[in-house]
Amino acid sequence: MEWRCAGLGWPGGVPVLRWAGGRSSALAYGRVIGFRAVGERRCVGARGNPCPLRAVVPARATQARCPECARLDRAFSVAADGVPDDPRTYRVYLAWFGAGLVKVGITAEERGAVRLLEQGAVAFCWLGRGPLMAARRTEELLRAALRVPDRVPYARKRAVRGALPGWAERARELAELYRRAVVLEGWAEALERVEFEAVDHSAAFGWGEAVGGAAVGATVGTPAGAADGVVRELVDGGVVAGRLVSAAGPDLYLAVADGRVLVVDTRVLVGWELVGVDAGAAAGGGVTVPVEAVRGAAGGSGSGGGGEQDGLF
């Protein structure tokens, strides 16, 4: 059975690794995990259809699609306004990643906060709800009026996680932007304003226990997502192993044998076949793939000697 990675997901507010074919592996904080990359990284196709060429894609690409599949996927993307007649209700939100680092965005209401977890938003609040194009027009208004972006690079998100202010400051910054947003003229008439409530993801990310909106107490996670390096590519035969201490968005934080905490950008795992390493190798925390510095804001097989494995971890 092939275990080809399909990315990190957050169903029910908890992180799982997904695999081609619909399987998934639960990721529990404090657990030792490890895998070895096999062969070449392959295109994952588009819109649920496999790539007809099974094309090889670059190891460092953040999307595991060949140019043709990427164009097809983009053509039917809500983000690219490829489906303007989407009948679903959408929500406009403010996502907070660190002091002064906030973005505005939209997501389908049926997805709840999953989109915010996928982006690694430390905290967020809803602004409004309504039809897709009304949400899109209001998003553009807010981006210009509040001078906040609609995209934030993951390198910036990682850089600020090492020194996050407390809950009170997070909520205060969101509340101020919310106040400025809801009084603006020019909102799409079809978009209903939503009452302010700041939501914190510290507990979901493994940084603390959320009590009354505040993240307090300690868990096995890093205090605020600090890291010593980033895994941004895999190589054939390369091993990544360590103890999972936290997660945020597509990033897994692993404590490895030499005492470092490394971020594994799971976007670059997508398209690779991964084989679980044995418990001893994983506990040793081996990393035999390239590791980068965190940029600032400015062995063995688990397949039982060739047998079919029941799960990767």
Side-chain angles (χ1 to χ4, degrees):
M1 180 187 297
E2 181 180 78
W3 291 79
R4 195 165 293 273
C5 187
L8 183 67
W10 287 88
V14 297
V16 301
L17 269 183
R18 291 173 170 155
W19 310 99
R23 292 163 291 166
S24 64
S25 297
L27 297 173
Y29 299 134
R31 184 179 182 183
V32 174
I33 62 174
F35 56 83
R36 174 169 52 87
V38 177
E40 295 178 298
R41 190 185 187 198
R42 300 285 180 176
C43 174
V44 296
R47 319 307 300 178
N49 300 303
C51 176
L53 302 177
R54 295 195 76 242
V56 175
V57 294
R60 292 178 57 82
T62 56
Q63 293 217 8
R65 290 189 174 92
C66 67
E68 288 301 319
C69 288
R71 279 192 287 271
L72 177 61
D73 190 69
R74 188 74 175 167
F76 294 94
S77 166
V78 168
D81 292 331
V83 282
D85 57 348
D86 189 330
R88 295 178 295 175
T89 298
Y90 277 78
R91 287 203 172 209
V92 184
Y93 61 80
L94 289 171
W96 188 97
F97 303 98
L101 193 59
V102 180
K103 64 156 280 189
V104 62
I106 68 171
T107 185
E109 184 171 71
E110 64 196 42
R111 299 198 71 208
V114 170
R115 181 65 183 139
L116 286 304
L117 290 162
E118 291 172 346
Q119 295 182 58
V122 178
F124 79 95
C125 70
W126 301 118
L127 291 170
R129 60 185 299 273
L132 171 59
M133 296 315 292
R136 179 69 78 203
R137 287 194 297 271
T138 303
E139 176 193 29
E140 287 300 308
L141 167 72
L142 297 172
R143 183 183 60 79
L146 301 179
R147 297 184 178 180
V148 294
D150 56 2
R151 298 175 189 271
V152 176
Y154 280 102
R156 292 193 65 196
K157 298 176 188 179
R158 294 183 192 115
V160 300
R161 284 180 198 146
L164 294 174
W167 166 251
E169 185 172 335
R170 303 174 197 179
R172 183 165 51 248
E173 188 170 352
L174 281 172
E176 173 58 21
L177 285 171
Y178 174 90
R179 182 192 64 77
R180 291 168 54 194
V182 294
V183 298
L184 286 171
E185 296 183 1
W187 277 51
E189 291 184 4
L191 201 76
E192 169 193 353
R193 287 164 173 77
V194 173
E195 184 177 352
F196 176 75
E197 179 184 8
V199 179
D200 191 82
H201 284 155
S202 292
F205 292 163
W207 299 338
E209 182 181 359
V211 178
V216 298
T219 69
V220 296
T222 51
D228 303 300
V230 183
V231 173
R232 286 276 296 107
E233 63 180 301
L234 300 185
V235 295
D236 182 26
V239 171
V240 175
R243 181 173 59 89
L244 180 65
V245 293
S246 64
D251 294 340
L252 299 179
Y253 287 73
L254 297 183
V256 299
D258 61 8
R260 293 180 299 167
V261 172
L262 300 183
V263 179
V264 179
D265 184 342
T266 60
R267 295 177 299 168
V268 302
L269 272 55
V270 178
W272 278 100
E273 180 184 354
L274 304 179
V275 175
V277 300
D278 62 49
V287 176
T288 62
V289 299
V291 176
E292 299 179 355
V294 178
R295 295 200 300 273
S301 168
S303 60
E308 188 173 284
Q309 60 190 48
D310 295 325
L312 194 70
F313 309 130

